[in-house]
Amino acid sequence: MKTIYAINGSPRKKGNTAQLLDQALVGAKASFPEEEITAERIDLYDLHYTGCRSCFACKRKGGASYGKCAVRDDLHSLLERLLNSDGVIVGSPVYFQNITGQLHALYERLLFPYTVYSADRTGIPQKSIPFGFLYTMNVTEEWFKQSQCPAFLQLWESLIGRNFGYAGHCFAFNTYQFHDYGKYVSDLFSEMDKSSYRKAHWPQDCRAAYELGWKIAALACREEPVAPCGQS
Ligand SMILES: Cc1cc2nc3c(=O)[nH]c(=O)nc-3n(C[C@H](O)[C@H](O)[C@H](O)COP(=O)(O)O)c2cc1C
């Protein structure tokens, strides 16, 4: 039995990110029909937790929590589930050119216990878990490429990739943010352009998410470890 999780870093449960994550899970389930795969979406904004609290219990010499996060909140059991999983797809809307705050807090708690303050900078080796990343954002691909956003996202992907394994990423640009643009101050955008862009591109975005899920499940079913580092 293989377990794949899709982590929804958006507060919206039916938004762009959630819809693409669901496609990724469909892809994961389709990957190996003969394998038994559990595929579940977890909505981070349903959980109550903080980022790293800098308690250093994970670094205390001989401590019971050495190498593990000692904070007992809703993330405690989620971290355990992720670390015992066989593949993870993380989805985030872009907020101020980066991942959302909730996902940032999860990454701190996931990564800091394995970050060792040793001179040779070797961390604590983890089980190889393929991680895939998907992002949705308002801006067009051209804007995105000219911004600092690719570098911000790449940093997280390489930190996760180095500790666990990297399976790829996909992006949905120029997303539809509101159901009715007429109700909100948003004359920066043309609803007509957004609508025609979505018609043309959303099926491809869904396909890319499906394929990412498919790939993660395929990697999860192999015996070899996943390549460590994220490349943009
Ligand atoms: C607080 C906030 C900040 C945002 N910042 C950006 C941004 O910097 N760049 C961008 O392209 N979109 C930005 N957006 C738009 C969202 O990334 C975009 O609408 C996304 O597809 C929403 O995903 P969701 O439907 O899953 O919530 C922002 C939205 C919010 C609410």
Side-chain angles (χ1 to χ4, degrees):
M1 168 71 79
K2 301 290 178 188
T3 306
I4 309 287
Y5 290 114
I7 301 298
N8 181 17
S10 168
R12 304 203 289 188
K13 293 187 186 178
K14 293 181 182 169
N16 300 299
T17 313
Q19 288 176 49
L20 292 183
L21 284 171
D22 289 347
Q23 286 299 314
L25 290 180
V26 173
K29 283 184 188 153
S31 185
F32 275 89
E34 75 278 9
E35 271 274 355
E36 258 195 275
I37 285 184
T38 309
E40 187 190 334
R41 193 180 98 197
I42 294 162
D43 296 304
L44 288 186
Y45 282 75
D46 278 350
L47 307 179
H48 297 281
Y49 62 89
T50 67
C52 174
R53 300 179 74 96
S54 202
C55 67
F56 292 103
C58 64
K59 316 235 171 293
R60 202 177 174 92
K61 290 175 186 170
S65 292
Y66 184 78
K68 286 183 265 182
C69 181
V71 178
R72 296 289 192 271
D73 59 15
D74 286 358
L75 260 200
H76 184 73
S77 67
L78 176 58
L79 289 175
E80 232 168 59
R81 287 164 79 193
L82 293 182
L83 296 172
N84 287 318
S85 75
D86 301 291
V88 180
I89 307 135
V90 185
S92 182
V94 164
Y95 279 9
F96 297 101
Q97 300 197 34
N98 213 319
I99 55 173
T100 59
Q102 208 80 347
L103 182 56
H104 196 289
L106 165 67
Y107 281 169
E108 286 172 10
R109 299 268 300 276
L110 180 65
L111 292 168
F112 195 59
Y114 315 127
T115 308
V116 182
Y117 289 156
S118 62
D120 63 2
R121 304 190 73 80
T122 43
I124 300 174
Q126 294 307 303
K127 175 186 163 187
S128 170
I129 303 170
F131 268 76
F133 306 86
L134 66 85
Y135 308 99
T136 73
M137 67 200 85
N138 247 334
V139 295
T140 60
E141 187 168 5
E142 294 69 43
W143 275 46
F144 171 74
K145 284 184 175 159
Q146 287 165 22
S147 72
Q148 295 189 15
C149 190
F152 293 150
L153 303 181
Q154 165 68 20
L155 171 68
W156 289 115
E157 290 184 16
S158 58
L159 288 170
I160 299 270
R162 202 185 305 154
N163 278 277
F164 301 101
Y166 178 75
H169 60 195
C170 57
F171 305 94
F173 303 104
N174 205 1
T175 53
Y176 223 73
Q177 193 165 9
F178 319 114
H179 286 306
D180 181 350
Y181 274 72
K183 285 189 180 159
Y184 303 95
V185 178
S186 59
D187 57 0
L188 178 61
F189 308 111
S190 146
E191 182 169 13
M192 246 169 55
D193 290 353
K194 285 253 181 208
S195 166
S196 62
Y197 183 92
R198 186 177 177 91
K199 269 197 200 106
H201 290 86
W202 189 248
Q204 294 161 30
D205 296 336
C206 290
R207 184 72 208 172
Y210 177 98
E211 283 171 4
L212 183 60
W214 196 97
K215 185 179 175 190
I216 285 169
L219 288 169
C221 294
R222 288 189 337 183
E223 294 308 318
E224 307 102 79
V226 189
C229 248
Q231 303 294 320
S232 245

